Amino acid sequence: MIERGVRRREWLGQRVWLALALCCVFAAAVQAYRISERLGAERMRVEANHRLELLAAAVDSIILRLEHIPGTLELNPDLRAWLLAPGDPVLAARVQAFLHALNDQVGARLIYLLDADGRLLAAAGRDTSAAAPGEDLSFRSYFRWARGGLTGRDFSVGEAGEDAGYFVSRPIRDGEEVVGVVAVKIDLGVLQQALEALEEPALIADSNGVVIMSAVSGWRYSALEPMSALAHATARASRLYDDEEIVPFVVPLPLRTGSPPKEATLPALVLTADGAGRLDAARYRVVLKLLERTGWRVVLFSNLRSLRAEAFSHAALVFSAGTVLLMALAYLLQRRRIVRQKLATQALLAEANRVLETTVERRTRSLRETNERLQREVAERKAAEAELRTAQDELVHAARLAALGQLATGITHELSQPLGALSTLNDNAAEYLRRGATDKAARNLELVAEMVGRMDGIITPLRDFARKSPAQPGEVRLSEAVDAALRLVDHRLQKQGVEVVARVPATARVWCDRGRLEQVLVNLFGNAADAMEGCPTRRLTIEIEGVADWPDAIVVSDTGRGLAEGVRARLFEPFFSTKPRGVGLGLGLAISRDIVHEFGGTLSARNGEGGGASFRIGLPPHKEDKA
Ligand code: ADP
C-alpha cells in the first residue's frame, strides 16, 4: 500500500518535471521565434535598403547620363540660328541631321526643338510620330520651365499613345531673349522592367508624390499624399499625367513632401487585398528613399510573411531539438533509474542469498548434529535391541529348560524301561557267551543295539530341544514340528490317557525357527495336559486353518476346564499362573507370544464351543505372498 503511494508520488513528480521541461522548451522556441524574427527583420531591412540603393542609383544614372544633353544643345549656334531663321532650309536640314546623329549617339528616346511659342520645330528619336512638326506643346511643363529661362525637369506621359518618360529641357537664348527650347525625353522603360523584375512590390513616385512606375499597374497614377490644388492644376495644365485620374494610394503612407526623410523604415502595414492591383492580405515593411536630383521617391515593400515563416520554422526547429533533447534526457534518466533499481535489486538479491546461505549453513549444521545424535541413538538402540534379544534368547532358553524340567519325570520313566531291558539283555548275552551259545548272544546284542537306538530316539529330541541357539527362520514342515513336540510330552499325555488328534497335512509348511515353534507347541500341549487333568474327556486336537500347503493358523484345542474370565484377560501377562508354586512360573504363554510375534505371527486364546480352551497361532503369510 505504502509502496503504491510512493510510486504514485514518483509518477506525479515525473509528470510535473516533464511539464516544466516542456514549458521551458516552449519558451525557448518562442524566444527563438523572436530572435529569428528580429534578425530576419534586420537582414530584410539591410537587403531592402540595398535594393533601394541599387534602384536609386539606377534611376540617377539613367537620368544623369542624358540630362546634360539639353544644356549641350543650348550651346549649339546652328540651333539658335535656325530658331532665328526658321525658313532656312539648309539650317533646318543641318539641325535635323545633327539632332538625329546626336540622338543615335546618346540613345535618348526623343530630342525636341521648340520655338519660343512652344511649336515643335524638329524631333529626333524612335518615336518621331508622337508629335508632328508645328504641333503646339506650349502647355508642357518642361516647355514652360525652359521658356522661363530655367531647366525643366518633369515626368510626363508624353504625347498620345506614347510611353511615359522623363523630360529635361533648357532654353536657347539669343542674348537675354529665349528664342526656343530644346528638350530630351529619357526612356524609363528599363526602370519599369527593373521594378517588375523585383520579387517584392516597389514603386517610384515623382516630385508630386504621384506613382509613375510600379510593377503593380493599379498603383500607377495614385498619389502617396494629397496633392495641393496648385500642383493639381499645374499637372493638369501641362498634361503631366495625360488624362489620368489621380487617386489616393491604396493605403496612406505617412510621408511628408516638405521634409521627407532620406530613408525611412515605416511601421508594418496591413494592406487589404482586392483584384485591382492591391497587395494581398499580409503585413509589409516599407522603406523609402528620396532622390534629391529629381525629387522622386523610391518605395520598396518587404513581405514579412516569409520572415515569419522562417522564424516559425526556426522556432519549430528549436522546439523539436528541445523535445528530442528532453526525450534523450528522459531516456537517460529512466535508464539511470533502471540501472539504479537493477543495482538495488542485485544488492537485495545478494543480501537475500547471503541470509539464505547463512540459514542453510545453520540448518545444515543443526541437521548434521541431529543426524549424528540420531545415529548415536540408533547405535544405542541397536545395542539395546541386541542386549534385549540376548536377554530374550536367554529367557526363551530358560523357559525351555523349565519345560524340560517339567518333562524330566516322564523322560526318566521312559528311559528306565529300556535301561532295565538293556541290563537284562546284557546279562543274557554274557551268559550265552559263557555257554558258547554265540548265536543267541549275538541275537541279544542285536536287541541291545535296538534298545540303544530307542533310547537315542528319546534323548535326541530332548538334546535338540535343550540346545541354545539363536532364532534362524526357515521353511519348517509343520507335521514334523508337531510330532517332535508331541514326542516330548508323549509320556505325560499317555499317562493322563489323553487322546491326541493331529490333523496336520504332511505338505503343510511354516516359515519360522523350528526349535522355537516346537517350544511354543510343547508349552501349549503341556498346558492342555495340565488343564485336562481329572477331566472325564481328555482330547488334544491339533489342526490347521487355511490351505494345506501354507496354512493361515495352527489351532491347539483341548477339552479341559477352559479359560475363566479373569484368567483369559491376564493369560499372556508374565508371571501369571494359576498353578501351584513350583509347578508353574507363569512365563510359558508370555514367552510363546513373543516367539510367535518374532516370526511375524500372532497368538490368541478363546474358549472352545464344546468346552475347553483353544489356542490359535496365526501364521505369517507365505514369503512369496509377501512379494
Ligand atoms: P504356567 O503354565 O507356568 O502357569 P503359562 O503362561 O503357560 O504359565 O500359563 C498361564 C496360566 O494360563 C496357567 O497357569 C493357566 O491358569 C492358564 N492356562 C494355560 N493354558 C490353559 C489351558 N489349556 N486351559 C486352561 N487354562 C490354561
Side-chain angles (χ1 to χ4, degrees), residues 75-128:
L75 302 174
N76 191 317
D78 283 348
L79 259 66
R80 192 184 314 115
W82 190 40
L83 283 170
L84 291 174
D88 186 342
V90 179
L91 272 175
R94 212 158 64 211
V95 166
Q96 277 180 0
F98 170 70
L99 288 180
H100 279 292
L102 182 69
N103 191 59
D104 290 346
Q105 189 73 37
V106 299
R109 185 68 175 270
L110 275 172
I111 299 175
Y112 282 161
L113 183 63
L114 306 168
D115 64 13
D117 298 326
R119 273 193 298 275
L120 183 66
L121 283 180
R126 280 171 276 166
D127 281 331
T128 44

Side-chain angles (χ1 to χ4, degrees), residues 122-305:
R126 280 171 276 166
D127 281 331
T128 44
S129 59
E135 194 175 329
D136 184 7
L137 296 175
S138 59
F139 62 90
R140 288 294 185 190
S141 172
Y142 59 82
F143 172 76
R144 290 198 203 162
W145 283 102
R147 185 71 182 84
L150 300 169
T151 304
R153 281 193 182 83
D154 261 325
F155 164 82
S156 178
V157 172
E159 303 319 312
E162 208 183 315
D163 290 341
Y166 184 66
F167 290 83
V168 182
S169 60
R170 284 292 298 168
I172 296 177
R173 296 168 196 271
D174 180 26
E176 286 303 311
E177 191 191 353
V178 174
V179 292
V181 168
V182 66
V184 64
K185 181 183 179 184
I186 301 168
D187 188 5
L188 298 176
V190 181
L191 283 177
Q192 177 66 28
Q193 283 168 12
L195 289 179
E196 282 169 6
L198 287 174
E199 283 175 11
E200 305 282 24
L203 61 88
I204 296 172
D206 66 3
S207 52
N208 288 325
V210 174
V211 178
I212 52 174
M213 270 173 284
S214 171
V216 186
S217 60
W219 287 358
R220 236 176 281 167
Y221 308 118
S222 59
L224 298 182
E225 57 195 343
M227 285 172 74
S228 66
L230 179 65
H232 214 274
T234 310
R236 186 163 289 280
S238 61
R239 293 177 61 195
L240 269 188
Y241 312 112
D242 205 6
D243 294 329
E244 292 290 343
E245 177 78 18
I246 304 302
V247 294
F249 190 59
V250 284
V251 289
L253 296 177
L255 308 172
R256 289 287 166 267
T257 324
S259 57
K262 185 181 175 220
E263 183 180 305
T265 304
L266 302 174
L269 298 170
V270 178
L271 305 181
T272 52
D274 64 16
R278 296 193 173 194
L279 294 171
D280 60 353
R283 290 168 69 82
Y284 281 83
R285 191 173 293 278
V286 182
V287 286
L288 173 144
K289 185 173 171 68
L290 177 70
L291 307 180
E292 282 177 0
R293 183 178 298 279
T294 52
W296 286 5
R297 272 165 269 184
V298 183
V299 183
L300 274 181
F301 296 84
S302 305
N303 194 339
L304 295 173
R305 184 181 275 171

